[in-house]
Amino acid sequence: MKLEGVRTRFAPSPTGYMHVGNLRTALYAYLMAKSQNGTFILRIEDTDQERYVEGAVDIIYNTLKEAGLNWDEGPDIGGPVGPYVQSERMSMFKKYAEQLVESGHAYYCFCDKDRLEEVRVLQKASGIAPRYDGHCRNLSKEEVAEKLAAGVPYVIRQKMPTEGTTSFYDEVYGLITVDNDTLDDQILIKADGMPTYNFANVVDDHTMGITHVIRGSEYLSSTPKYNLLYEAFGWEIPTYIHCPPVMKNATEKLSKRNGDASYQDLVAKGYLPAAIVNYLALLGWAPKGEQEIFTMEELKKEFSVSGISKSPSIFDNQKLDYINAEYIRRLSLDQFHEIALPWIRQTVKREDVDTRLIAKVLQARTEVLNQIPEQVDFIDQLPEYDTALYVHKKMKTNEETSLEALKAVLPVLEALDDFTEESIHAALFELIAKLGVKNGYLLWPVRVAVSGKQFTPGGGIEICSILGKEESLARIRKGIELLSK
């Protein structure tokens, strides 16, 4: 069967939450395929049963779907080169390994754990990097047959060339050459008959027709071994695109083990999936122009491997906050109200307030949704506050001027029948003109009186319209009382 066009894959292990570095790899693999009208494949690599986490496959599905990375072939939807779960492909690997034994590119190794440990200890004591010493590499066919017949446990190892060099070209890092005598005779098939990750990976990529292998730069050192396998089989070598690591800072990699945020953690904090994806795209890749906010469709058109950096990328929360804020601003009020409501309801339990009015005030002042509860925690109940809040140098207010301002405001608001933002605005600005004072002189005391806070998502006028007439007047009277003491 001939598979046409660019074919990329994302092949995660179901070991828990989606690390942001993994999601970025998936994104680049997806964009590489879609920028070339190609096929994006999801393959689950679940052969490491010791690290398997129940429910992790669903996390992979849900994360990719939320992020908009819809796969064309995969375990749940099938395709021409299934199965797409590695544990369901086990029967094929040993056959391929035995093919390499026949061609002289692999061999049976009968060394037991005790011998291997002895070799490792000796090498360590001699200052030699631990590696297999080739003890079984040159066993005769008769010796191999005898041991197999006797049922001696074995692994199958790749027979690395001991002289010369192996080179490969990477689209990001360029030409890389290694000395063959530095390559270990890696295990291809383990004693239990299961393939190692490195072997299964190559066989799966070839049999699935993968044309472009996109993965983290930590696999650069393994790539010469992969290439030697491709060459031993006579298979076409894919295009390699290795991505630089995502760093916490200049020296530490971003890692879930260090408590760094996974994709799920970021969503739980109130980052929008589309904003996370947009940020991850820019984390190690530079578009040609100045644009930073991209829809997925725009990313598909703009993406080019030439924009991927060789340098590690440091995860910048401030940049993520900025991009998330941009996404929040671009939502319609209805859309924002829908996603903000659960966060508003964490601290606003009152049913007599219009949560759409709250959302309207919040939208321009929210970068991350988890900022919302603290911003509106004064709505249900006026907090205890110090009258020093009324002192504001820029607004030229103090406790005395604030008391005068609130006393002037109270009858004006009491007289209003229509207590909407528009009518409150008109009435207070008419009073400002009448008194001949600056806006802040009057509006700052109102803001403090109705919120009890220095920082609020909106001004006094907006807060009054949210609280309603009765509650607003009660809080202004309370302000007058506090300032009169």
Side-chain angles (χ1 to χ4, degrees), residues 21 37 45 75 107 139 144 151 164 166 232 251 318 333 373 375 405 418 456:
N37 295 313
E45 299 197 336
Y107 59 94
L139 291 177
V144 170
T166 295
T251 57
Q318 285 186 319
L333 179 57
Q375 288 194 77
D418 175 28
T456 56

Side-chain angles (χ1 to χ4, degrees), residues 117-181:
E117 178 59 18
E118 195 179 309
V119 170
R120 191 188 70 78
V121 170
L122 281 171
Q123 287 174 334
K124 194 175 178 185
S126 306
I128 301 168
R131 56 187 286 185
Y132 182 61
D133 64 352
H135 181 72
C136 294
R137 188 179 166 106
N138 298 311
L139 291 177
S140 67
K141 280 191 176 180
E142 291 75 24
E143 287 174 297
V144 170
E146 187 182 314
K147 287 181 183 291
L148 290 176
V152 179
Y154 66 87
V155 298
I156 296 179
R157 290 183 180 273
Q158 185 178 356
K159 187 182 276 189
M160 296 296 180
T162 55
E163 297 176 349
T165 59
T166 295
S167 298
F168 70 95
Y169 184 80
D170 181 79
E171 294 294 316
V172 176
Y173 291 89
L175 187 68
I176 294 175
T177 301
V178 298
D179 292 323
N180 289 333
D181 63 8

Side-chain angles (χ1 to χ4, degrees), residues 339-387:
I339 63 167
L341 189 56
W343 298 89
I344 293 170
R345 283 297 180 205
Q346 285 185 27
T347 51
V348 179
K349 308 298 182 187
R350 286 175 56 181
E351 294 295 336
D352 62 332
V353 294
D354 186 343
T355 52
R356 277 179 60 82
L357 283 180
I358 298 173
K360 184 182 173 187
V361 169
L362 285 168
Q363 188 168 6
R365 299 168 173 90
T366 301
E367 288 187 321
V368 188
L369 298 175
N370 67 357
Q371 297 167 351
I372 290 173
E374 191 180 353
Q375 288 194 77
V376 294
D377 61 1
F378 64 88
I379 289 176
D380 276 17
Q381 189 174 358
L382 182 70
E384 294 286 331
Y385 68 93
D386 193 308
T387 54

Side-chain angles (χ1 to χ4, degrees), residues 270-476:
Y271 292 97
L272 308 188
I276 298 170
V277 169
N278 191 150
Y279 175 67
L280 290 180
L282 301 173
L283 198 60
W285 169 77
K288 291 185 180 73
E290 297 300 311
Q291 184 178 345
E292 287 190 310
I293 307 301
F294 293 91
T295 64
M296 186 62 86
E297 289 307 308
E298 288 171 332
L299 280 174
K300 288 178 194 177
K301 287 176 190 164
E302 181 77 19
F303 186 78
S304 166
V305 173
S306 62
I308 298 177
S309 169
K310 291 180 188 177
S311 305
S313 307
I314 293 176
F315 195 89
D316 181 353
N317 277 102
Q318 285 186 319
K319 183 72 176 280
L320 176 58
D321 289 355
Y322 158 73
I323 289 176
N324 200 63
E326 286 296 310
Y327 272 79
I328 284 173
R329 308 283 182 273
R330 295 177 187 209
L331 295 172
S332 68
L333 179 57
D334 283 344
Q335 289 171 323
F336 179 69
H337 178 244
E338 186 181 340
I339 63 167
L341 189 56
W343 298 89
I344 293 170
R345 283 297 180 205
Q346 285 185 27
T347 51
V348 179
K349 308 298 182 187
R350 286 175 56 181
E351 294 295 336
D352 62 332
V353 294
D354 186 343
T355 52
R356 277 179 60 82
L357 283 180
I358 298 173
K360 184 182 173 187
V361 169
L362 285 168
Q363 188 168 6
R365 299 168 173 90
T366 301
E367 288 187 321
V368 188
L369 298 175
N370 67 357
Q371 297 167 351
I372 290 173
E374 191 180 353
Q375 288 194 77
V376 294
D377 61 1
F378 64 88
I379 289 176
D380 276 17
Q381 189 174 358
L382 182 70
E384 294 286 331
Y385 68 93
D386 193 308
T387 54
L389 284 184
Y390 286 102
V391 179
H392 197 300
K393 282 184 182 177
K394 190 178 174 186
M395 302 295 180
K396 295 186 169 56
T397 63
N398 56 41
E399 292 175 1
E400 286 176 20
T401 61
S402 294
L403 179 60
E404 288 174 15
L406 291 182
K407 282 180 175 177
V409 164
L410 185 61
V412 171
L413 294 185
E414 283 175 332
L416 284 179
D417 292 324
D418 175 28
F419 209 75
T420 61
E421 186 180 330
E422 291 75 19
S423 60
I424 297 167
H425 185 279
L428 291 186
F429 272 82
E430 188 180 325
L431 178 60
I432 286 166
K434 182 180 168 186
L435 295 174
V437 293
K438 300 274 188 187
N439 296 351
Y441 180 90
L442 200 76
L443 297 181
W444 181 255
V446 171
R447 181 179 191 156
V448 171
V450 294
S451 71
K453 297 179 79 167
Q454 187 173 10
F455 301 105
T456 56
I461 292 169
E462 293 162 305
I463 293 169
C464 285
S465 70
I466 290 168
L467 293 173
K469 184 174 181 180
E470 188 181 330
E471 181 67 19
S472 297
L473 294 177
R475 292 186 180 195
I476 288 170

Side-chain angles (χ1 to χ4, degrees), residues 156-293:
I156 296 179
R157 290 183 180 273
Q158 185 178 356
K159 187 182 276 189
M160 296 296 180
T162 55
E163 297 176 349
T165 59
T166 295
S167 298
F168 70 95
Y169 184 80
D170 181 79
E171 294 294 316
V172 176
Y173 291 89
L175 187 68
I176 294 175
T177 301
V178 298
D179 292 323
N180 289 333
D181 63 8
T182 64
L183 302 176
D184 191 11
D185 284 3
Q186 66 176 348
I187 295 172
L188 305 179
I189 300 292
K190 295 181 277 189
D192 60 4
M194 297 281 270
T196 56
Y197 169 83
N198 284 336
F199 186 53
N201 205 267
V202 168
V203 174
D204 281 343
D205 282 347
H206 170 73
T207 54
M208 289 184 166
I210 303 304
T211 60
H212 293 68
V213 171
I214 297 150
R215 59 188 173 213
S217 59
E218 65 269 25
Y219 291 102
L220 276 168
S221 60
S222 301
T223 304
K225 300 177 185 180
Y226 299 152
N227 268 18
L228 288 167
L229 287 171
Y230 279 106
E231 288 169 4
F233 282 119
W235 295 342
E236 188 175 342
I237 293 172
T239 298
Y240 291 116
I241 301 161
H242 287 87
C243 308
V246 179
M247 307 292 285
K248 182 176 185 171
N249 51 45
T251 57
E252 292 177 284
K253 267 190 181 183
L254 206 64
S255 162
K256 182 69 179 164
R257 287 177 195 168
N258 296 339
D260 297 321
S262 66
Y263 168 80
Q264 282 77 11
D265 293 331
L266 292 175
V267 171
K269 286 178 181 177
Y271 292 97
L272 308 188
I276 298 170
V277 169
N278 191 150
Y279 175 67
L280 290 180
L282 301 173
L283 198 60
W285 169 77
K288 291 185 180 73
E290 297 300 311
Q291 184 178 345
E292 287 190 310
I293 307 301

